[in-house]
Amino acid sequence: MSCSLLPFCHFQDLEAARDFLCPHLRQGGAAAARESVDKSPNWEDDGWGAWDEAETQEPEEEEESTCKTQTSYWLQDCVLSLSPANDLMVIAREQKAVFLVPKWKYSDKGKEEMQYAVGWSGSLNVEEGECVSSALCIPLASQKRSSTGRPDWTCIVVGFTSGYVRFYTETGVLLLAQLLNEDPVLQLKCRTYEVPRHPGVTEQNEELSILYPAAVVTIDGFSLFQSLRACRNQVARAAASGNENIQPPPLAYKKWGLQDVDTIVDHASVGIMTLSPFDQMKTASNIGGYNAAVKNSPPTMSQYITVGSNPFTGFFYALEGSTQPLLSHVALAVASKLTSAFFNAASGWLGWKSKHEEEAVQKQKPKVEPATPLAVRFGLPDSRRHGESICLSPCNMLAAVTDDFGRVLLLDVTRGLAIRMWKGYRDAQIGWIQTVEDLHEREAEKMDFSPFGSTRSPSRVAQFLVIYAPRRGILEVWSTQQGPRVGAFNVGKHCRLLYPGYKIMGLNNMTSQGWQSQTYQICLVDPVSGSIKTVHVPFHLALSDKKSERAKDMHLVKKLSALLKAKTSNLDMVEDEAKELILDIKYPATKKQALESILASERVPLSALSNITQTLMDTLKNQEFVCVDEGLLQFCANKLKLLHLYESVSKLNSLSMQQSTPLSDNDLAKLLRLDEKEFARLQALLENYKQENTQTTVRFADDKDGILPVKMFLEYLECEKDMILVKKLDEGEYVALVAIDESWDSQSVSPWWQQMRTACIQSENNGAALLSAHVGHSVTAQITDSMAEKKFSQTVVGADTDSWEALSLDTEYWKLLLKQLEDCLILQILLHSKVRTRTTRVSSLQAEPLCRLSVKKLLEGGKGGIADSVAKWIFKQDFSPMILKLAQRKKETESTEELVEIDRNVSLEKQGAETGMETILELLHLAYQQFPCSLELDILHTHCCWEYVVQWNKDPEEARFLIRSIDHLRCIVNAHIQHGIALMMWNTFIVKRLSAATYLMDKVGKAPKDRLCRRDVGMGDTAMTSFLGSCSDLLQTLMEADVSSDEMQAPVLDTEDAWVSAEGPISIVELALEQKHIHYPLVEHQSVLCTILYGIMRFSLKSVKPLALFDSKGKNAFFKDLTSIQLLPSGDLDPNMLSLRQQFLMKTVSAVVQVQYSAQKTRGLSEEAPLPAKKDKDWPALALDLAQHLQLSEDVIRRHYVCELYNYGMDHLGEEAILQVHDKEVLASQLLVLTGQRLAFALLHTQTKEGMELLARLPPTLCTWLKAMDPHDLQNVDVPIATTAKLVNKVIEYLPENHGQYSLALNLIEAVEAISS
């Protein structure tokens, strides 16, 4: 039994606290959007920085190593305090603080453990520029009779650089604030009540001491306790009544001005002490000289020790009664009004104020009372040495001091001497451990059993000094005063050692003995592993006597360990020596440790283990009953039972191994009680699972043909009463053992089988778990048959009914588990299948491996857990939604053309080394059959849609994720689900980014550049363009689903019988069905804005402010809840706004035609229509829809579109677009001008001889008109004259004869014909 470092608590999310306290160390601002969005119903706040007090700062590449160091050492810069009752932790830095509270939760290994979670976080500063400099968590004792001596609540005391000391509750509510000195608070320390160990020891009072640079303030513990209780009650009443005016009661305190010291860094309040007569005379002589008078009674003094410089360590003594306690300024304002209050210096001061006086006092700054001078009596004068910290021992006799030379000094507090020094501990952190001797632990062999009992001496107490050296990353435990080092641990360089030095406040001599509080003495906080550890030091390590029985026992244990490790062939000699050694050990706990080491040895044979255990057990039984340790006796009996069981199982295994002929498939099927079809299905499943889960494993040559060693047998099993339990089950390790006890009550479920089923449920090795379950089911059925035969053979009538029910209950549990394991295995095979190694770019989010499944995980995942697992796999493989539809069809209906189409759409290669597309479809089809409800196509599309949008939110640059999410959304058939999930996507992920994009584009008045997009929206300009298009598609789908939902019923969600017991978070589909119906006009209004934004980004339009196209009602309605009814624009609009809208649409149409022309020019097509961009919208139709919603004439837009097509020389598209124009007369006039520009370019700007001659023959009116034309307005002048001739014919066709320009058009026909000829 040596020193041990035991973890007793872990942090649930320490990184969140670090990011809040140290924003400059935050990693990846986008990482704040975690997968918790699919678990929390309040999605709107997720992913948008719950800790976003400051902006994220990205470190430079050359500073990566520095940032890593800062990230590791961040806890060293924080103020840290842990309550000794282990019920609250405070981490503070500058103005911010995080309160952590413990919660019992299950760890990753399934064990219940205590984890610290964030209970409150925020800023504590009230004055401008003040920072937290010190903090304490003080548990206050309960005043209830039922919980006497137990902690009721914990008060957080915080000192600030402004001099204020403030007191808070666990939820961050301010109880009390006191300005006791205007200098910064350097240190807060507390002393609580301790029962005196000896009658002559002075009883110490409770107090809170506050250190300032030149003063120390002490607050009486009783006064503080009563004031904090009163404040807490007032806060509770104020919260109940709604009155926020809290009346803080004043505090009584003593303030000492420490003189004759240069600097003070830390202090220790030793408490009240009384000098012996000799020390009294010595002190009087030193102070007053030879003729000094000595009082008859020694004075009572309070001792304070400070560390700093000049002197390095100072000793101060304040005489009790030399000064009266001060009352804070708040109480002095109303002291005259208190007529019936009696104040006592020992019990503290308590006073109250009226509301009017409270308001007056708050306006003025509190008065700071002057300090009573207190000169240093003596010290350790070392001018070069500067003290850094001091830590008082629990017995108040010793103190440890650290300095800037890397030394740790041990002080004798009473004598004022340095009695020991340790070197090489720079920046050391120190603490103390007090260990009490357990008188009942030692085996009482020589007790005097007299009628009057035996008198025992009181328990001895040992003090151990704990030193943590962060630069060396080592934690050491030293025995004081002059003892050796008794323990050392490598713990890392980033930890913090916490030693409060106090317990629960508010106890006294009576209440402190009623209940043993579970307080810790010292702990080590490790931010790297996220754990909190405490040090356990056995008392015997303080014993240095060579004749100590404990030391002798430890020597025998070491000798036994050496014997077990020695290489010798004479095992009989080892057995005999081990017996002698274990019998010579005196302490029962050490005997148990020795027996455990023998049983854990791999070299000792089974017979020797049984003999040693039996010998020890017989020896214990032969002793006197009072002297026998019951725990050790029971331990021996349990281990002996397990050894006998191992011997029996080994004999059974040896008999079965003698059969050399392997079992056939039929024999195995009969053994597992399966028919041929079921057995063949099981074989096929396990074969597929084996292929998909082939892993390289390490195999050892000395497995002894699979025989389980005794050591592992004893590690995995334990015996409790009449039951054998499996106590250790790690991943991938299983022990197959069937223990049948016929005496078990057959009317209840067997705990052994229940434990085995639990192990199978928790297992992530689904193949092994399924086989184990089949074996368990088979054996259970065999037991059922044998017990049924016995029941029927008896003549008692009616005694078999209950037995049949109980046995069938166990059998039904097995059948249910087999179905669950088979489902889980099929799902696991699917999730581990891959199509191929991709050559295209793969996102880092898609490269992350999927976690392995277990029945427990699926049950805890809720009703949507199965579909969610498949959706994650589909995201990793990036399959098209078409594959999900195709896999639903039966294999016979699949055609080669469909597979080829799927392969082309998903860009898959032909079947290679890994699973081909056909196998994927087969596995998906099998999963559909196995989960007809959970993997119904609409449910699967819903989960895929959500998974893609969640992953897109983590990395918005991956625009294809959002596109694929909306593809899955469109594949949902049921409009109710489609409506709900679209609305959830909008509220959770879309609306905030869209709002940011809108205001950015409105601010810059054009399509913003990449840098601005990344700064305001969190994505580049290309990704933002795609994002706006997806927003438009999402709103369009939402409107269509809202209309369709009126024509169909909401789906009825069902679950497979085997998974009805699944409990967990509510599924996405259920949440979608709970969504309210949208307000259709509001969504339509929002959709118009999305289309406008998409057009601006898609075509890089300039001088466009999107919000300027709407009036105040329209602007206010944007980004509101789509289910609410908002005031939308109605009636006639301002002509100026209509003009702006028309200009925008014409710009958009011109940009659309320009893009079409550029695409046509790039492809080299002249007469054929240009191919549209992949998944691009039909922008001419969109422009017409926008015109309708923006209350513009659609025909104006159509005419502008036709004119632009002819302007760019795409006459073939213009001829098609003309058919949709209503007012063709106006269009003809516009096209006439365009024709004139073409002819003017051909005749006037080419400057050819033929052109000049032709121009001379034209009518003067036509020549004048052509010269007035400006061909520079044409975007494409290289248009054949024959094409222009068709255009002139179109103009003649649409112009009426009585039109003013009809004659001009006729002249143009003649001119074109002349040019053509």
Side-chain angles (χ1 to χ4, degrees), residues 89-222:
M89 175 181 280
V90 173
I91 307 176
R93 184 178 182 271
E94 295 179 351
Q95 295 91 5
K96 300 178 184 176
V98 176
F99 296 174
L100 303 167
V101 293
K103 296 181 180 179
W104 287 98
K105 293 194 175 183
Y106 285 96
S107 64
D108 298 336
K109 297 182 179 179
K111 295 181 180 179
E112 194 176 20
E113 66 178 14
M114 193 166 63
Q115 296 183 357
Y116 271 107
V118 177
W120 181 88
S121 62
S123 296
L124 297 178
N125 62 313
V126 177
E127 303 286 332
E128 184 178 355
E130 66 176 358
C131 298
V132 176
S133 58
S134 184
L136 283 184
C137 299
I138 305 178
L140 302 183
S142 174
Q143 299 295 299
K144 299 178 182 177
R145 291 186 178 180
S146 58
S147 55
T148 301
R150 304 190 182 204
D152 182 21
W153 62 288
T154 301
C155 177
I156 297 97
V157 188
V158 183
F160 292 86
T161 54
S162 60
Y164 267 97
V165 178
R166 298 190 178 93
F167 301 82
Y168 300 86
T169 65
E170 305 98 322
T171 55
V173 177
L174 178 62
L175 294 178
L176 191 61
Q178 292 289 340
L179 181 64
L180 304 176
N181 198 29
E182 292 185 343
D183 293 326
V185 175
L186 297 183
Q187 194 65 258
L188 296 172
K189 290 197 175 180
C190 180
R191 184 175 65 244
T192 53
Y193 180 80
E194 286 285 341
V195 179
R197 292 191 59 243
H198 305 291
V201 178
T202 306
E203 191 174 84
Q204 299 295 335
N205 294 328
E206 296 183 322
E207 71 171 16
L208 173 68
S209 62
I210 307 162
L211 180 67
Y212 294 94
V216 62
V217 175
T218 60
I219 302 175
D220 179 64
F222 181 78

Side-chain angles (χ1 to χ4, degrees), residues 1228-1249:
S1229 300
Q1230 294 171 329
L1231 292 178
L1232 186 65
V1233 175
L1234 201 140
T1235 310
Q1237 290 173 343
R1238 288 185 181 181
L1239 287 179
F1241 180 82
L1243 296 175
L1244 300 175
H1245 291 269
T1246 52
Q1247 298 294 329
T1248 58
K1249 182 180 178 182

Side-chain angles (χ1 to χ4, degrees), residues 187-471:
Q187 194 65 258
L188 296 172
K189 290 197 175 180
C190 180
R191 184 175 65 244
T192 53
Y193 180 80
E194 286 285 341
V195 179
R197 292 191 59 243
H198 305 291
V201 178
T202 306
E203 191 174 84
Q204 299 295 335
N205 294 328
E206 296 183 322
E207 71 171 16
L208 173 68
S209 62
I210 307 162
L211 180 67
Y212 294 94
V216 62
V217 175
T218 60
I219 302 175
D220 179 64
F222 181 78
S223 169
L224 178 64
F225 181 77
Q226 298 297 339
S227 298
L228 290 176
R229 282 189 61 212
C231 283
R232 189 164 178 258
N233 293 336
Q234 284 191 37
V235 168
R237 292 194 197 101
S241 62
N243 182 15
E244 296 183 357
N245 292 326
I246 308 299
Q247 302 176 4
L251 285 177
Y253 62 93
K254 292 181 180 180
K255 184 174 179 181
W256 304 100
L258 307 179
Q259 297 180 343
D260 303 328
V261 180
D262 284 357
T263 57
I264 301 175
V265 178
D266 198 359
H267 80 295
S269 176
V270 181
I272 299 174
M273 61 175 295
T274 304
L275 294 177
S276 65
F278 175 79
D279 290 336
Q280 181 190 3
M281 288 186 287
K282 182 183 68 173
T283 304
S285 299
N286 290 333
I287 296 176
Y290 177 77
N291 296 319
V294 180
K295 295 181 180 179
N296 294 330
S297 59
T300 303
M301 299 177 291
S302 295
Q303 183 182 9
Y304 304 98
I305 306 176
T306 63
V307 295
S309 62
N310 290 330
F312 156 65
T313 304
F315 291 80
F316 297 83
Y317 295 88
L319 292 176
E320 290 295 312
S322 62
T323 180
Q324 291 296 321
L326 298 170
L327 192 62
S328 61
H329 181 69
V330 177
L332 287 176
V334 293
S336 60
K337 304 233 176 156
L338 297 172
T339 57
S340 60
F342 294 92
F343 295 95
N344 190 304
S347 61
W349 297 87
L350 192 61
W352 311 94
K353 304 182 302 296
S354 65
K355 294 183 180 178
H356 300 289
E357 290 163 347
E358 170 71 18
E359 294 174 359
V361 168
Q362 286 180 351
K363 293 180 181 178
Q364 62 183 5
K365 193 172 182 180
K367 180 182 177 183
V368 177
E369 296 291 338
T372 303
L374 185 63
V376 62
R377 180 167 296 182
F378 64 90
L380 301 181
D382 190 339
S383 60
R384 296 179 56 206
R385 190 183 303 272
H386 295 267
E388 293 182 344
S389 66
I390 182 171
C391 187
L392 191 65
S393 70
C395 66
N396 285 5
M397 302 294 290
L398 302 172
V401 179
T402 63
D403 61 20
D404 58 346
F405 288 167
R407 309 289 200 267
V408 177
L409 284 82
L410 187 65
L411 297 183
D412 186 329
V413 172
T414 307
R415 295 185 295 166
L417 299 176
I419 57 178
R420 190 173 183 181
M421 178 185 287
W422 290 267
K423 298 182 180 181
Y425 293 91
R426 193 170 296 276
D427 300 330
Q429 301 170 27
I430 49 180
W432 291 88
I433 289 181
Q434 180 172 275
T435 306
V436 182
E437 182 186 21
D438 187 1
L439 294 179
H440 300 281
E441 188 179 14
R442 182 177 177 272
E443 189 177 52
E445 295 180 345
K446 300 178 180 180
M447 290 182 61
D448 181 15
F449 296 99
S450 63
F452 303 100
S454 61
T455 59
R456 293 185 179 182
S457 59
S459 300
R460 293 177 291 179
V461 176
Q463 311 280 335
F464 295 92
L465 178 63
V466 181
I467 306 175
Y468 169 57
R471 298 204 178 192

Side-chain angles (χ1 to χ4, degrees), residues 858-871:
L858 292 180
L859 289 173
E860 291 176 349
K863 293 184 178 180
I866 296 170
D868 186 59
S869 302
V870 178

